[in-house]
């Protein structure tokens, strides 16, 4: 039994980690599969282009199923309503920035007033023209932003307006299969895709989808990837960890090395530790009520120029998470300093060393790994909190070109996307989630990984510090 | 420092000491000051002794938080206690535990909501959105943190256990007659700490139960303090009745959780000092 008990405990522990991780990973991979449009044959004889969406429990019970239609809308069909289905390998899925994904057959590529491409020529030039238009647009947007308030602004705006006028004449004609034809501007298209043919192409498309989710930029419809969400979350955690960890270490040094014997020091020490129990969302409420509503309003009032700091943003979120992370980091830092034998300090002091010299030459050399571990604890604590961010700046909705290369992202005063909030309260319309976009699963998996990495770093340094002190301390 | 010694300490070292003291004083006092100021600010916003607001609503939220925490603790405690007893004295598991405990509670809640709840709803007829799912999610998420706290409480009896093993006791005897009885106050303190942590969890509730008008809080509004803060605070104007209620809820929840933590801390300290004596 003695050898079986720890094995059972280890299995239980692995179950707690492995099952959620495996489920998140499996769903991420499964949901990244390429969509395959097909033609549904209805009982009344009509044939419509659609992608069947995943059924939920209620739909499985009733036999109903939602379908994404050619114009990007979703319609529920009863089981008896659809009598047949055939593949549509030549149908395109068009993902744009300003509308839900659409489907259809591209009949023509319009390039200006007189030039229209069809057939093989269309297929050959479609991707290159799209990339060119998007690159032109990005360059012009950058030029307008860069010249704002300067001499070249009028010229940049003139070029931008010219591009916009021309833009309405460069695009594709998309036929939905029921006689309807719509014009899609080429510069707004993020991706043209068709159902991959054959298992190898299907697997490559699947892998490509996964890669795109990690490396691409999201937009107003949630199409694209999570690149900016990763960046924003890491920036937030690093800022919060640096603020919280540094403040906690300084407080621990003050309480333990300078005010060690005072009664007030004990009161401050205990109360700071106990505040670790205050829920994160309460710190979020204080951040919203005080930092955003009071301090932010005052700053805006002083600086003028409209509402900038009186809304949630990266700075307020970092400060909130930083303060929230202090108690845990402080407790670990105090424990680390307590572990250094008191006699060492007394001996050094009795030899005439100042308190700073004691700290620098006696305490730091053995306690630095533990203090570093305590510092990393603040990062881990900040990474694991989601609820307070919903009050102090995490984006609840995304409109327009928030993340494009022209946007000023991430900025300290602006809202930011967060991996935890993305999973719990997605800022995008649900259409992408219904299409099987695995963003929510992947974001939770990444957030867990971030927490685990920082906690591992903290644990590693704390253990190293403990060993360093044990090896130095007399038996 | 005696004057004779002070004369031997170079002036530059004394200056460096004074500078370090000033920097530490300024930087080190900021965090405790900010923490305490935040709670004091919350206290004034809560207007506990003023009129206005709806105390029934606040008490409804608090009841929701306390009940949710208790339910999660009741489910998580047996598994955590078993795990802590089984893994006694193994430092490796303790390090793993801390890492597992750092995984956000939103993960089990999200998985339950997306994978288990629809299945259970279809097969067993259980509603897919119900506060009980939040209790279950919280319980799953609480196992590792609670296990970690319980392991700390149990570790203090390792020397007694070693002595019992040396006298020929079997592992079961040691567990039944020594470790469990001697650790009971520590286990109680650890459970109290776990409860105070579970009370403040928000995302699991928001995700799973949808929160509003659920069985816990009746029709009075959001079910737990945390969820009410997230959902309602951005809409409540500063100083309005709803704002005051939310701040009251936040402050009282903080008081509850800090009291639970402080009490468990006190129990642990008294156990430690008793053992040292």
């Amino acid at each position: 039994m003695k050898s079986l008990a720890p094995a059972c405990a280890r299995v239980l522990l692995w179950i707690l980690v492995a099952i959620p991780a495996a489920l998140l990973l499996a769903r991420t991979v499964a949901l990244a599969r390429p969509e395959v449009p097909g033609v549904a044959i209805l009982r009344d004889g009509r044939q419509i282009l659609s992608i069947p969406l995943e059924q939920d429990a209620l739909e499985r019970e009733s036999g109903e199923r939602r379908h994404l239609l050619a114009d990007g809308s979703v319609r529920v069909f009863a089981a008896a309503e659809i009598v047949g289905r055939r593949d549509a390998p030549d149908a395109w899925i068009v993902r744009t920035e300003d509308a839900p994904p659409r489907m259809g057959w591209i009949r023509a590529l319009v390039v200006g007033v007189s030039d229209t491409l069809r057939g093989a020529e269309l297929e050959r030039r479609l991707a290159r023209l799209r990339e060119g238009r998007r690159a032109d647009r990005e360059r012009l947007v950058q030029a307008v932003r860069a010249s704002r308030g300067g001499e070249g602004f009028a010229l940049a705006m003139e070029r931008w307006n010219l591009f916009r006028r021309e833009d309405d004449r460069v695009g594709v004609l998309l036929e939905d299969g029921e006689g309807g034809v719509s014009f899609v501007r080429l510069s707004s298209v993020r991706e043209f895709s068709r159902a991959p043919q054959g298992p190898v192409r299907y697997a490559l498309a699947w892998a490509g989808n996964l890669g795109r989710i990690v490396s691409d930029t999201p937009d107003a419809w949630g199409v694209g990837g999570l690149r900016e969400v990763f960046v924003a979350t890491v920036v937030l955690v690093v800022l919060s960890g640096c603020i919280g960890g540094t403040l906690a270490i300084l407080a621990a040094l003050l309480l333990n090395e300078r005010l060690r014997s005072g009664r007030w020091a004990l009161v401050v020490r205990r109360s700071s530790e106990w505040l670790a129990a205050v829920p994160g969302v309460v710190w979020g409420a204080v951040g919203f009520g005080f930092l955003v509503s009071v301090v932010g309003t005052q700053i805006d009032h002083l600086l003028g120029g409209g509402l900038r700091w009186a809304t949630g943003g990266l700075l307020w979120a970092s400060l909130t998470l930083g303060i929230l992370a202090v108690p845990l980091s402080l407790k670990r830092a105090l424990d680390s300093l307590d572990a250094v034998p008191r006699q060492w300090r007394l001996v050094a002091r009795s030899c005439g060393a100042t308190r700073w010299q004691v700290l620098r030459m006696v305490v730091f050399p053995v306690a630095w790994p533990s203090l570093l571990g305590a510092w990393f604890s603040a990062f881990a604590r900040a990474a694991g909190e989601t609820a307070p961010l919903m009050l102090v700046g995490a984006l609840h909705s995304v409109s327009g070109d928030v993340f494009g290369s022209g946007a000023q992202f991430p900025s300290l005063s602006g809202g930011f996307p967060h991996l935890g909030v993305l999973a719990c309260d997605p800022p995008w319309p649900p259409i992408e989630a219904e299409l099987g976009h695995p963003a929510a699963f992947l974001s939770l998996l990444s957030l867990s990984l971030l927490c685990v990495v920082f906690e591992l770093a903290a644990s590693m340094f704390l253990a190293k510090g403990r060993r360093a002190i044990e090896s130095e301390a007399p038996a | 420092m005696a004057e004779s010694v002070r004369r031997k300490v170079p002036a530059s070292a004394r200056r460096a000491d004074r500078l370090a003291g000033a920097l530490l004083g300024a930087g080190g006092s900021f965090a405790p000051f900010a923490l305490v100021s935040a709670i004091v600010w919350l206290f004034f916003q809560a207007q506990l002794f003023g009129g206005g607001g709806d105390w029934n609503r606040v008490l409804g939220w608090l009841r929701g938080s306390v009940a949710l925490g208790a339910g999660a603790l009741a489910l998580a405690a047996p598994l955590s206690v078993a795990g802590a007893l089984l893994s006694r004295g193994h430092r490796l598991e303790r390090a793993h535990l801390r890492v597992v405990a750092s995984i956000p509670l939103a993960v089990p809640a999200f998985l339950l909501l997306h994978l288990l709840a629809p299945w259970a709803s279809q097969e067993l007829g259980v509603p897919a959105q119900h506060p009980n799912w939040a209790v279950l999610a919280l319980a799953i998420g609480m196992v590792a943190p609670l296990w970690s706290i319980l392991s700390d409480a149990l570790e203090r009896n390792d020397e007694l256990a070693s002595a019992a093993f040396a006298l020929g006791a079997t592992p079961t005897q040691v567990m039944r007659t020594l470790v469990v009885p001697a650790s009971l106050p520590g286990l109680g303190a650890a459970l109290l700490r776990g409860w105070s942590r579970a009370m403040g969890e928000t995302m699991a509730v928001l995700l799973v139960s949808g929160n509003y008008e659920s069985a816990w809080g009746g029709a009075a509004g959001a079910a737990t303090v945390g969820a009410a803060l997230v959902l309602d605070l951005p809409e409540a104007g500063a100083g309005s009745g709803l704002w005051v209620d939310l701040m009251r809820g936040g402050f009282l929840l903080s008081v509850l959780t800090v009291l639970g933590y402080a009490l468990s801390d006190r129990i642990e300290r008294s156990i430690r000092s008793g053992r040292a004596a």
Side-chain angles (χ1 to χ4, degrees):
Chain A
M1 162 155 180
K2 204 175 174 184
S3 60
L4 199 63
C8 290
R10 208 168 293 145
V11 168
L12 190 58
L13 207 55
W14 271 111
I15 287 173
L16 284 174
V17 183
I19 289 182
L23 284 174
L24 288 175
L25 189 63
R27 290 300 286 169
T28 302
V29 174
L31 291 176
R33 69 183 179 277
E35 293 100 16
V36 180
V39 175
I41 302 158
L42 304 185
R43 200 161 49 175
D44 59 10
R46 280 194 305 138
Q47 299 192 357
I48 57 163
L49 194 59
S50 75
I51 297 177
L53 303 176
E54 211 166 306
Q55 279 177 304
D56 61 23
L58 284 174
E59 286 172 342
R60 271 196 290 270
E61 209 169 314
S62 63
E64 290 177 335
R65 187 156 199 170
R66 287 160 305 147
H67 284 241
L68 181 72
L69 302 184
D71 61 355
S73 62
V74 175
R75 187 179 150 190
V76 182
F77 288 97
E81 233 174 316
I82 296 177
V83 293
R85 185 171 178 81
R86 62 177 166 81
D87 286 344
D90 52 344
W92 292 85
I93 302 176
V94 182
R95 295 171 184 277
T96 58
E97 285 167 350
D98 48 8
R102 276 171 280 180
M103 285 173 286
W105 288 270
I106 297 179
R107 295 304 181 202
L109 173 59
V110 183
V111 191
V113 180
S114 54
D115 203 1
T116 302
L117 307 175
R118 296 175 200 277
E121 181 71 6
L122 182 154
E123 298 243 347
R124 200 169 57 78
R125 291 187 56 187
L126 186 63
R128 199 188 300 171
L129 266 173
R130 185 194 72 86
E131 281 163 22
R133 290 299 294 174
R134 285 180 69 79
D136 286 350
R137 194 190 68 163
E138 289 299 330
R139 204 178 53 245
L140 289 169
V141 169
Q142 290 278 24
V144 170
R145 282 183 196 274
S147 64
R148 188 170 287 169
E151 286 177 3
F153 183 66
L155 183 63
M157 277 307 291
E158 194 181 325
R159 284 181 179 160
W160 169 245
N161 288 330
L162 193 68
F163 176 84
R164 290 301 302 267
R165 279 198 295 276
E166 188 190 74
D167 207 28
D168 291 335
R169 295 193 293 269
V170 181
V172 292
L173 294 177
L174 194 68
E175 190 198 327
D176 63 7
E178 291 184 276
V181 177
S182 57
F183 178 79
V184 183
R185 278 185 293 118
L186 213 53
S187 66
S188 71
V189 177
R190 293 189 68 112
E191 186 190 40
F192 289 110
S193 63
R194 276 194 288 202
Q197 301 300 307
V200 175
R201 283 191 184 166
Y202 193 82
L204 285 175
W206 201 328
N209 277 356
L210 279 171
R212 209 166 24 249
I213 290 160
V214 175
S215 63
D216 207 357
T217 299
D219 63 24
W221 287 90
V223 183
L226 297 176
R227 191 178 68 190
E228 273 70 13
V229 190
F230 291 131
V231 172
T233 308
V234 170
V235 168
L236 174 75
V237 170
V238 170
L239 271 177
S240 316
C242 287
I243 293 170
T246 308
L247 288 178
I249 302 279
L250 286 173
L253 291 173
L254 179 72
L255 291 171
N256 212 64
E257 304 298 322
R258 290 269 164 173
L259 311 171
R260 193 182 179 90
S261 52
R263 193 178 165 195
W264 273 107
L266 190 69
V267 172
V268 173
R269 184 180 171 143
R270 289 272 180 284
S271 53
S272 301
E273 283 177 19
W274 290 348
L275 287 177
V278 174
V281 68
V282 175
W283 293 117
V286 174
F288 176 81
F290 183 71
L291 291 176
V292 177
S293 302
V294 178
V295 182
T297 308
Q298 289 303 319
I299 293 176
D300 277 349
H301 185 67
L302 281 175
L303 298 180
L307 195 72
R308 187 170 177 215
W309 295 99
T311 58
L314 208 52
L315 178 67
W316 302 138
S318 306
L319 281 173
T320 305
L321 285 193
I323 291 295
L324 173 156
V326 163
L328 174 72
S329 185
L330 176 64
K331 186 175 184 332
R332 289 186 173 178
L334 285 170
D335 288 345
S336 311
L337 293 171
D338 277 343
V340 180
R342 189 149 169 71
Q343 295 92 318
W344 295 2
R345 296 183 180 88
L346 290 175
V347 169
R349 291 284 285 156
S350 65
C351 291
T354 63
R355 283 182 293 187
W356 169 238
Q357 284 172 326
V358 172
L359 198 61
R360 192 161 54 88
M361 297 173 183
V362 177
V363 178
F364 277 154
V366 285
W368 73 264
S370 309
L371 289 175
L372 198 58
W375 195 65
F376 275 122
S377 304
F379 288 72
R381 177 87 167 91
E385 281 292 342
T386 300
L389 298 174
M390 296 176 83
L391 292 168
V392 287
L395 287 173
H396 293 277
S397 63
V398 179
S399 57
D401 188 16
V402 178
F403 304 115
S405 60
Q408 293 170 340
F409 174 83
S411 77
L412 282 178
S413 62
F416 56 91
H418 183 264
L419 289 169
V421 178
L422 179 89
C424 304
D425 183 20
W428 293 296
I431 184 69
E432 274 301 311
E434 295 202 46
L435 255 183
H437 197 57
F441 289 92
L442 183 64
S443 59
L444 269 186
L445 186 66
S446 319
L447 189 65
S448 306
L449 205 63
L450 200 64
C451 294
V452 165
V453 165
F454 279 120
E455 188 57 46
L456 268 178
S459 292
M460 200 180 75
F461 280 111
L462 286 170
K464 186 177 177 181
R466 207 167 31 239
R467 282 197 302 274
I469 292 171
E470 279 170 3
S471 66
E472 292 283 340
Chain B
M1 198 181 288
E3 192 56 33
S4 56
V5 176
R6 188 187 299 275
R7 276 201 295 274
K8 289 175 190 166
V9 178
S12 60
R14 272 185 279 149
R15 269 201 303 276
D17 187 51
R18 275 201 297 274
L19 182 65
L23 288 175
L24 266 186
S29 55
F30 182 78
F33 172 76
L35 288 170
V36 173
S37 303
I39 298 301
V40 170
W41 180 85
L42 193 62
F43 170 76
F44 282 114
Q45 292 294 309
Q47 299 176 23
L48 291 178
F49 306 108
D54 182 356
W55 274 101
N56 283 336
R57 183 159 58 179
V58 179
L59 292 176
W61 294 333
L62 280 171
R63 197 171 59 232
S65 293
V66 171
L68 195 79
L73 192 71
L75 287 178
L79 210 56
S80 303
V81 171
L85 286 172
L86 288 172
S87 63
R88 269 182 57 247
H90 291 267
R91 192 164 266 185
L92 192 67
E93 263 101 3
R94 303 275 304 287
H96 283 168
L97 266 176
R98 268 206 295 273
V99 172
V100 179
S102 70
I103 295 173
L105 257 77
V107 173
F110 185 82
L111 289 174
L112 277 181
L113 177 68
H114 284 269
L115 301 179
L116 195 62
W119 173 82
S121 166
Q122 191 188 8
E123 300 293 326
L124 309 172
V126 183
Q129 278 215 328
H130 191 272
N132 285 343
W133 287 114
V135 174
L136 188 60
L138 214 51
I140 294 171
M142 281 302 297
V143 169
L146 199 57
W147 182 342
S148 176
I149 302 169
L150 287 164
S151 295
D152 287 338
L154 286 173
E155 189 194 32
R156 294 183 198 107
N157 293 304
D158 279 355
E159 286 174 10
L160 291 177
S162 302
F165 280 126
L167 290 171
T170 63
T172 319
Q173 282 175 320
V174 171
M175 193 83 81
R176 190 166 46 82
T177 59
L178 184 73
V179 174
V180 173
S183 305
L184 273 182
L187 290 178
L191 291 177
L192 194 60
R193 190 170 289 193
W195 186 26
S196 76
R197 182 173 167 175
M199 272 194 289
E201 279 303 328
T202 305
M203 293 317 289
V205 187
L206 272 181
L207 258 171
V208 179
S209 68
N211 193 62
Y212 257 101
E213 318 237 336
S214 63
W216 299 104
T224 66
V225 176
L229 280 170
V230 168
L231 293 171
D232 289 339
L233 195 62
E235 313 301 327
S240 65
L242 181 58
W243 176 279
V244 171
D245 284 348
L246 289 165
M247 291 299 173
R248 271 179 193 162
F251 180 74
L252 292 176
L253 180 68
S254 304
V255 169
L256 270 179
T257 53
V258 169
L259 274 180
Y261 191 93
L263 191 60
S264 84
D265 195 41
R266 192 170 172 78
I267 294 170
E268 282 183 3
R269 273 174 209 287
S270 67
I271 296 169
R272 217 174 297 158
S273 61
R275 184 123 320 134

